[in-house]
Amino acid sequence: MNNVIERKLALSHMSVAFTAFILACFLGEYQVFERSGLIESLGSPTVYFASVSTHGVLMAYVLTTFFIMGFGYYTAATSLETPVWKPELAWTGFGLSLFGVLLAALPLLSGKASVLYTFYPPVQAHHFFYLGATLLIVGSWVWCAIMVVMFYQWKKANPEQPVPLAMFATTANALLWLWTSAGVALEAVFLLIPWSLGWTDTVDPGLARTLFAWTLHPIVYFWLIPAYTAYYVFVPKQAGSYLFSDEVARAAIIVLVVFSLPIGFHHLYMDPEQAKGWKILHGIGTFIVTLPTFVTGFTVIASLEIAGRLRGGKGMFGWIGSLPWNNTMVLAVILSLLMLIFGGFGGIVNASYAMNAMVHNTAWVPGHFHLIFAGTSVIMYFAIAYYLWPILSKKPLFSNNLALLQLWTWFIGMTILTTPWHVLGLLGQPRRISSVVYNNLLTLSWKPYELAMIAGGLIMLSSACLFVYLLYKTQFAKSEETYAAEVEYAEPLHAVKSLPEYLNDFKLWNKVIAIYMAVSFGIPILQFFFLDTFDSSAWSY
Amino acid sequence: MHIDPLESKWIQTALGICGLFVGLILIDAFFHNIHTPSNVETIDSASLHLSEEFAEDNLGVHRDENGNIIVRMVAGRYSFFPKEISVPAETKLTFRWVSIDVLHGVHIPMTNMSTMVVPGFVAELETTFPKPGDYPVLCNEYCGLGHDHMWSKINVVERDQWHATQQPSSGAIDNE
Ligand SMILES: [Cu+2]
């Protein structure tokens, strides 16, 4: 298969993603320096909060969205063995999203959108920021539409056949993202854009926060599903084994999509505008959504165990040593799972309804989500890039050993960065401060942890630079050698001959989600229209 | 459809773990009455100073007719008002927080006195401080460029001492 268009689509999207990533890494390192107060002349809240806002937008919206779109196009084309539907439409989506990013970059970089990546009305940013973010989302909807169309076209052409798992997961993510992004899109279109343009005078912060919470949790699963997809469809093959269970993988992905959507209120546990009944309901849902992660962990480890034993590993743990640790995908999944275990533990603490009060908005929270996002997810993005880049550019990877070193340093840096972050949270440090100016004994105990974070951050930054360097050297290598390998998807241990329709389609699940969303967000959103609420006027920062 | 017996055992274990956590939370919520700040009470942030409850003279620590201690606090860029308060240890306190401008979050480190202060709403929560001492009160939500400087102090004193020190100057304590 030549798929020139698909390769170009994937490379373009991923290039934007990783450019955003490396810029954001530099900003991240600057932030740990600034917070520590080590270099006095760096101390500037204006620069710090502009930097936090830009770092968040680049990592959470630009890296993820572009990576997921690029990965999705290529996965769809290769797993279904059919060209991308209407490539000119795909390029339109790419252009819209990129234009949105550039539009939002203007106010972000000039300090006119220091509202952090979660917006926080009634502090108001320049309207270019809200418009840009909205366009980025609209561009990604084009990708969602193409994925859904390709899914159903294939199903129509192959009735009764199980949709390839890679495409099943990708379509699940596209549908998840359509549902997820609706919350923030409603917030932007009906509240933030008219307000920032001066068409309305006031905004309802309670309603804005509720709509944002709709997006705020499932968006994490939008970022995570590509990592899980790689766990399921790439890792077993790369380790030299089979996927332990294809059906259970599908079920896990469905549970992930259905239950991740209606649980956003665990981000509002400490908010006064929603009642405790709704919060408990969302809290229970939050625990249910840990199930697919438990199941995924099992399936992946079982697949790895088979690999280890096939390679001659014996005994209870002997198989671990005989895994191909020098394969980037295998190494990445092991490190990714380790970080998922620690990050998941922190997440369970956060999700615990009332226990959350101790750590809410403290440094614990960024410690936790950096483990899950920059640890679990992004390390798999690296591994996917190492795997796909040579295939996409038709040039061999510049150096496998350097790639392994890069993965290890990312893991070590992440451990050194996030452990102190968690401790600082338990010691009560707020997450969003640019420096420590409190005149209090407690804050002295924060110092050594801040310094450790600088070291962790530096290791991660070097690792990030190495990653970009490796892709660059691969892409622009003047080698004569053409790399001719193609993407290989893992075979399940037990071949899937036929599937019940609920494991091979999303029609039923969309209905379930619609009802569940109406129950969990219906009244909490409508209350702002029947309660006597008071809007806020705009504030600068 | 194929599910390995080991896999189905693991799924049951995972379900059990979830059930255990949810059970603990529900027991705490329904039997020990441990909840998040969630009273859904609206207030106009723009005219707080004209409201009875949050007018300047009524801020701070008060005892109501039933002997409950109510602490009324206002958050505004970049301070908490009143700046410094004193409360008794080992006593149930009801905090009522409002914002005069943007979103704030307030937390007293090492305690569960934590809430978001959203403009337009009264954030109410109950807590008890077990240990006397000086505690910082920190804004933990980004509220503007002066956010770092948004903090104040709370002095938690021995239960008996608090009564002793507060009673003589009890002019501010409303018994009406
Ligand atoms: Cu504040």
Side-chain angles (χ1 to χ4, degrees):
Chain A
M1 204 149 97
N2 194 22
N3 50 46
V4 184
I5 294 164
E6 285 75 18
R7 286 195 285 124
K8 209 169 165 201
L9 268 174
L11 277 175
S12 308
H13 281 82
M14 289 192 190
S15 301
V16 175
F18 293 130
T19 307
F21 166 74
I22 192 69
L23 292 174
C25 285
F26 278 94
L27 294 173
E29 180 59 13
Y30 153 75
Q31 282 151 221
V32 281
F33 262 113
E34 156 77 290
R35 272 174 90 102
S36 72
L38 192 67
I39 301 172
E40 207 125 309
S41 56
L42 274 183
S44 158
T46 318
V47 178
Y48 180 84
F49 288 112
S51 154
V52 175
S53 305
T54 312
H55 173 86
V57 168
L58 288 176
M59 287 293 197
Y61 302 144
V62 185
L63 161 66
T64 50
T65 311
F66 278 89
F67 178 83
I68 292 165
M69 290 198 282
F71 180 50
Y73 286 130
Y74 201 65
T75 310
T78 49
S79 69
L80 301 182
E81 296 173 5
T82 158
V84 162
W85 182 69
K86 289 199 191 296
E88 61 285 358
L89 201 60
W91 286 115
T92 311
F94 175 76
L96 270 177
S97 290
L98 190 60
F99 178 68
V101 170
L102 297 175
L103 194 64
L106 297 173
L108 274 172
L109 295 175
S110 55
K112 292 202 160 49
S114 297
V115 294
L116 312 197
Y117 70 106
T118 32
F119 306 165
Y120 298 121
V123 175
Q124 193 184 58
H126 192 274
H127 53 262
F128 278 4
F129 174 65
Y130 302 120
L131 284 167
T134 308
L135 280 176
L136 169 62
I137 294 172
V138 172
S140 70
W141 287 347
V142 174
W143 171 79
C144 295
I146 294 174
M147 291 302 105
V148 173
V149 168
M150 288 179 73
F151 179 90
Y152 282 105
Q153 280 181 345
W154 191 91
K155 263 184 78 90
K156 213 171 152 200
N158 302 274
E160 310 282 308
Q161 292 263 13
V163 179
L165 181 60
M167 188 56 189
F168 186 81
T170 303
T171 312
N173 207 19
L175 289 168
L176 172 77
W177 180 235
L178 284 172
W179 277 104
T180 307
S181 54
V184 75
L186 289 170
E187 183 193 8
V189 171
F190 290 105
L191 302 179
L192 301 180
I193 292 175
W195 174 61
S196 63
L197 285 168
W199 299 346
T200 55
D201 296 329
T202 58
V203 73
D204 186 336
L207 176 59
R209 281 180 73 71
T210 304
L211 289 173
F212 198 81
W214 165 337
T215 298
L216 196 52
H217 198 73
I219 197 174
V220 176
Y221 292 92
F222 172 59
W223 307 333
L224 201 60
I225 286 182
Y228 280 18
T229 309
Y231 285 1
Y232 284 126
V233 302
F234 292 148
V235 167
K237 185 85 195 174
Q238 293 298 307
S241 124
Y242 300 94
L243 173 61
F244 189 71
S245 171
D246 181 288
E247 289 98 328
V248 176
R250 281 167 211 265
I253 287 163
I254 289 170
V255 175
L256 202 62
V257 173
V258 173
F259 281 94
S260 67
L261 271 150
I263 60 173
F265 277 22
H266 65 237
H267 292 272
L268 300 182
Y269 277 163
M270 292 297 123
D271 273 42
E273 76 273 7
Q274 294 297 348
K276 53 196 173 199
W278 299 108
K279 291 180 184 173
I280 289 200
L281 182 72
H282 285 232
I284 295 169
T286 306
F287 280 97
I288 295 175
V289 89
T290 61
L291 283 175
T293 295
F294 277 122
V295 171
T296 301
F298 180 89
T299 309
V300 178
I301 294 169
S303 309
L304 287 176
E305 183 178 343
I306 297 169
R309 296 202 187 283
L310 284 175
R311 297 167 62 92
K314 299 250 176 325
M316 183 92 154
F317 298 109
W319 58 271
I320 299 176
S322 48
L323 286 173
W325 286 76
N326 57 358
N327 178 297
T328 46
M329 188 71 75
V330 174
L331 175 63
V333 77
I334 295 168
L335 302 179
S336 172
L337 281 175
L338 282 172
M339 290 187 275
L340 179 62
I341 292 169
F342 293 114
F345 169 76
I348 285 174
V349 173
N350 297 339
S352 301
Y353 191 56
M355 187 153 57
N356 177 267
M358 296 291 288
V359 294
H360 174 81
N361 261 353
T362 65
W364 170 281
V365 178
H368 153 70
F369 76 67
H370 276 79
L371 268 178
I372 295 282
F373 176 67
T376 314
S377 297
V378 171
I379 204 165
M380 290 312 290
Y381 292 9
F382 294 154
I384 293 170
Y386 288 141
Y387 181 52
L388 289 187
W389 215 274
I391 297 172
L392 297 173
S393 64
K394 297 223 176 274
K395 306 226 175 98
L397 185 65
F398 176 65
S399 162
N400 191 61
N401 281 342
L402 281 179
L404 295 170
L405 175 73
Q406 190 270 323
L407 295 173
W408 274 113
T409 44
W410 187 258
F411 174 73
I412 293 165
M414 181 57 78
T415 311
I416 298 175
L417 180 74
T418 53
T419 309
W421 228 336
H422 281 89
V423 179
L424 282 171
L426 294 176
L427 291 173
Q429 186 182 82
R431 63 193 280 200
R432 292 184 175 111
I433 46 168
S434 77
S435 59
V436 178
V437 296
Y438 315 125
N439 181 17
N440 191 281
L441 266 182
L442 172 74
T443 61
L444 286 178
S445 64
W446 296 350
K447 269 273 163 246
Y449 299 102
E450 305 252 0
L451 298 178
M453 288 175 71
I454 296 181
L458 270 178
I459 298 173
M460 289 182 76
L461 180 60
S462 326
S463 176
C465 290
L466 180 56
F467 169 72
V468 172
Y469 172 77
L470 282 173
L471 293 192
Y472 177 86
K473 290 297 270 187
T474 303
Q475 177 80 31
F476 296 102
K478 288 193 187 71
S479 73
E480 303 296 308
E481 185 188 351
T482 335
Y483 186 79
E486 286 194 17
V487 176
E488 293 178 298
Y489 293 103
E491 297 287 329
L493 197 54
H494 303 271
V496 185
K497 289 183 197 84
S498 71
L499 275 176
E501 201 50 16
Y502 63 84
L503 284 183
N504 200 30
D505 192 44
F506 297 99
K507 289 201 183 86
L508 168 70
W509 301 115
N510 276 318
K511 285 177 201 141
V512 172
I513 292 170
I515 294 167
Y516 195 1
M517 283 299 279
V519 170
S520 61
F521 274 96
I523 293 174
I525 287 175
L526 285 176
Q527 72 162 352
F528 294 100
F529 300 94
F530 56 70
L531 265 180
D532 198 9
T533 52
F534 299 91
D535 288 5
S536 295
S537 48
W539 292 81
S540 66
Y541 25 87
Chain B
M1 180 161 165
H2 171 90
I3 296 185
D4 193 88
L6 197 60
E7 195 156 38
S8 89
K9 246 184 227 160
W10 173 249
I11 294 171
Q12 284 161 21
T13 311
L15 272 171
I17 296 171
C18 288
L20 178 73
F21 286 157
V22 170
L24 286 173
I25 287 168
L26 292 179
I27 289 169
D28 271 341
F30 292 109
F31 295 100
H32 306 138
N33 203 26
I34 296 175
H35 286 287
T36 56
S38 320
N39 59 323
V40 199
E41 180 183 343
T42 63
I43 191 163
D44 187 0
S45 288
S47 57
L48 280 180
H49 55 293
L50 303 175
S51 77
E52 285 256 317
E53 188 182 354
F54 292 96
E56 212 177 325
D57 292 346
N58 287 327
L59 299 181
V61 190
H62 293 256
R63 204 170 323 161
D64 72 3
E65 58 271 31
N66 304 323
N68 298 318
I69 298 175
I70 317 277
V71 188
R72 293 191 188 86
M73 300 282 290
V74 170
R77 306 202 298 185
Y78 295 105
S79 193
F80 297 111
F81 306 99
K83 253 295 210 204
E84 214 166 330
I85 54 168
S86 177
V87 295
E90 297 168 86
T91 311
K92 192 186 92 182
L93 308 168
T94 303
F95 278 89
R96 286 172 65 76
W97 290 92
V98 286
S99 163
I100 47 171
D101 42 39
V102 300
L103 188 66
H104 299 279
V106 59
H107 184 209
I108 301 179
M110 332 300 269
T111 77
N112 67 351
M113 204 312 297
S114 170
T115 183
M116 298 301 296
V117 190
V118 179
F121 293 87
V122 180
E124 185 180 294
L125 64 109
E126 277 177 10
T127 190
T128 303
F129 300 123
K131 267 193 263 170
D134 265 343
Y135 292 77
V137 181
L138 308 180
C139 179
N140 67 13
E141 187 55 277
Y142 172 72
C143 55
L145 294 178
H147 167 58
D148 293 356
H149 296 270
M150 186 159 171
W151 63 284
S152 69
K153 263 190 206 162
I154 181 168
N155 181 17
V156 180
V157 294
E158 296 280 5
R159 199 187 167 115
D160 310 337
Q161 263 173 3
W162 188 79
H163 285 287
T165 56
Q166 295 293 307
Q167 293 305 359
S169 59
S170 63
I173 295 177
D174 47 343
N175 295 312
E176 64 257 58

